[in-house]
Amino acid sequence: MKIFVTGGTGYIGSHTVVELQQEGFEVIIVDNLFNSDLGVLDGIERITGTRPGFECFDLTDAPATRDFFSRHRDIGAIIHFAALKAVGESVEKPLEYYANNLNSLMNVLSGAREFRVPGLVFSSSCTVYGQAAVLPVTESTPRREAESPYGNTKMMCEDILRDVARVEPGLNVIALRYFNPIGAHPSALIGELPLGVPNNLIPFLTQVAAGIRDELSVFGDDYDTPDGSAIRDYIDVVDLARAHVIAIRRLLEGKNERNHEYFNIGTGRGLSVLEIIRAFERATGVKVRYRITPRRPGDIEKVWADTTWANEVLGWKASVPIEETLRNAWKWQQHVGRER
Ligand code: NAD
Ligand code: UD1
């Protein structure tokens, strides 16, 4: 069974391709290499023994996307990862974010409809919940107005998928709402490749531990949380990748109850920034220099997932302990060694 993975050389995509191939699926990736490079294919091949199919083009190019579908008529399902994802940058360049994230989804959906691909899994985000009034958040927690154009593209893509699935009974969609994906493959052959100064906590922290940066700024210690730092639900990227394989099987086996479903993909446990620093030090024996700085504008105080629905209905559960995840992130940092 052939799975079309958009954005498959990216961070989460590459880990998912590994899990798909290890489960016997054939994979064809499309990526424009805007935020990834071809070396990722070598990593995937070294881990799995199989080099996935790969084509380099931009999914906002409608004729190229249609041509791709017309040449691959045996696609059984799609996982759509391709998107721009830097929250701060999206505030500076809203048009680029809307154009890329919405047009690529619409082109992929048009291909799925025309060439009768029955299933699509979409990368959504817990960002759709914003700062929820009640924690943990369930899939029926109301979505909040997005804080950024990036977040808004996730909301809009979810809505596009809902509306299309409603009138296309032959197309089944699962939107996975990721919490905070972190870590790397235990082989240290693939991982996250942040461009320039990382915005996200774990890549910044591992670069501080590696001596590439002086110290980590802990953004705020005056939140209403036990230690004052903000709380997130950090999900291991391999656990997250496994959720996609399970979602694909659910679609292929027709087990979905509706033709449009959402699942929270997190651990169900919230950890503060200071707890993450301590867990990293425990897991690796490496000290992390940090300093408390003011809150980062736009940050929410706390969020973590209620994963009951994913556990019971999808049959998926996070399994990698946080220390192991952080050790893998550290191994990966030592492997890449420097910034891109
Ligand atoms: P990533 O940037 O590592 O991977 C995305 C890939 O898509 C990149 O390789 C990029 O080159 C490619 N791409 C982007 N636009 C494209 C286009 N128009 N045509 C072809 N290729 C294109 O990002 P990631 O962290 O792996 O995220 C994957 C998905 O998960 C994204 O949709 C992202 O919004 C979503 N997501 C990520 C996180 C996170 O923390 N990483 C959290 C929630 C949701
Ligand atoms: C951010 C995005 C979210 C996106 C996710 C993808 C914002 C507001 N949200 O989530 O939409 O889906 O990335 O990974 O940007 N922190 C520090 N110091 C740092 C970096 C981060 O203290 O140098 C703290 C943050 O304040 C936050 C936590 O660490 O409390 C996690 O931050 P980060 O990794 O950037 O993810 P989010 O902000 O949760």
Side-chain angles (χ1 to χ4, degrees):
M1 172 65 66
K2 191 191 275 187
I3 311 296
F4 171 26
V5 181
T6 77
T9 44
Y11 173 44
I12 304 168
S14 56
H15 289 80
T16 302
V17 170
V18 164
E19 297 303 308
L20 284 167
Q21 293 194 159
Q22 286 178 337
E23 291 283 319
F25 289 101
E26 184 188 345
V27 173
I28 174 84
I29 295 172
V30 169
D31 201 299
N32 62 1
L33 301 179
F34 180 82
N35 198 33
S36 54
D37 60 54
L38 283 177
V40 173
L41 298 176
D42 300 332
I44 294 172
E45 187 175 2
R46 282 182 64 191
I47 297 168
T48 64
T50 306
R51 197 170 185 85
F54 176 78
E55 292 190 25
C56 183
F57 67 87
D58 194 317
L59 290 157
T60 62
D61 181 339
T65 307
R66 189 188 177 280
D67 176 64
F68 171 84
F69 275 99
S70 74
R71 288 183 288 103
H72 295 274
R73 294 187 181 234
D74 53 347
I75 291 170
I78 302 166
I79 309 182
H80 184 54
F81 291 107
L84 299 176
K85 63 160 184 176
V87 177
E89 186 186 60
S90 78
V91 177
E92 305 303 320
K93 299 179 177 174
L95 204 49
E96 281 82 346
Y97 272 68
Y98 288 117
N100 191 73
N101 294 1
L102 302 185
N103 286 326
S104 58
L105 175 69
M106 289 190 288
N107 289 338
V108 167
L109 277 175
S110 299
R113 180 175 62 180
E114 182 177 352
F115 295 95
R116 298 181 195 284
V117 182
L120 183 143
V121 176
F122 175 69
S123 301
S124 192
S125 168
C126 70
T127 192
V128 301
Y129 299 118
Q131 181 57 71
V134 180
L135 291 169
V137 291
T138 72
E139 288 78 356
S140 46
T141 296
R143 297 186 318 177
R144 293 221 154 173
E145 195 178 330
E147 292 270 354
S148 68
Y150 165 74
N152 209 21
T153 68
K154 291 295 161 196
M155 303 262 256
M156 293 167 86
C157 286
E158 282 196 352
D159 291 348
I160 291 168
L161 287 164
R162 178 202 59 210
D163 294 346
V164 172
R166 194 175 279 157
V167 294
E168 296 289 339
L171 179 65
N172 295 295
V173 173
I174 291 179
L176 299 180
R177 290 175 173 162
Y178 313 159
F179 281 65
N180 284 57
I182 61 165
H185 194 267
S187 65
L189 292 168
I190 54 172
E192 192 170 7
L193 283 169
L195 199 56
V197 182
N199 291 311
N200 295 116
L201 177 63
I202 301 303
F204 203 106
L205 184 157
T206 58
Q207 290 193 3
V208 171
I212 297 169
R213 311 208 174 270
D214 284 348
E215 61 183 10
L216 173 70
S217 297
V218 173
F219 297 143
D221 68 347
D222 55 352
Y223 285 111
D224 181 19
T225 61
D227 65 22
S229 64
I231 292 180
R232 298 289 185 274
D233 185 335
Y234 295 92
I235 174 75
D236 185 275
V237 68
V238 175
D239 272 338
L240 174 59
R242 283 196 305 107
H244 292 80
V245 180
I246 293 172
I248 283 288
R249 284 203 194 288
R250 180 173 175 82
L251 292 176
L252 293 175
E253 290 164 11
K255 288 190 180 150
N256 45 308
E257 287 156 18
R258 287 173 300 130
N259 83 326
H260 185 233
E261 298 179 317
Y262 306 92
F263 293 98
N264 281 346
I265 304 297
T267 64
R269 176 185 178 207
L271 289 173
S272 73
V273 177
L274 293 170
E275 283 175 320
I276 285 285
I277 295 173
R278 269 183 243 111
F280 180 87
E281 292 180 339
R282 251 194 334 271
T284 63
V286 181
K287 277 271 176 221
V288 178
R289 275 170 58 96
Y290 70 88
R291 192 160 51 95
I292 309 291
T293 62
R295 294 178 180 195
R296 180 171 65 178
D299 266 356
I300 60 162
E301 183 168 87
K302 49 190 165 191
V303 67
W304 62 95
D306 182 324
T307 60
T308 312
W309 189 246
N311 298 160
E312 291 179 0
V313 178
L314 199 57
W316 169 89
K317 202 172 181 12
S319 65
V320 184
I322 186 70
E323 284 80 7
E324 197 175 320
T325 300
L326 293 169
R327 254 195 309 276
N328 289 336
W330 178 229
K331 268 198 329 201
W332 169 247
Q333 175 63 55
Q334 290 169 300
H335 176 83
V336 284
R338 57 191 163 72
E339 72 178 284
R340 261 208 294 172

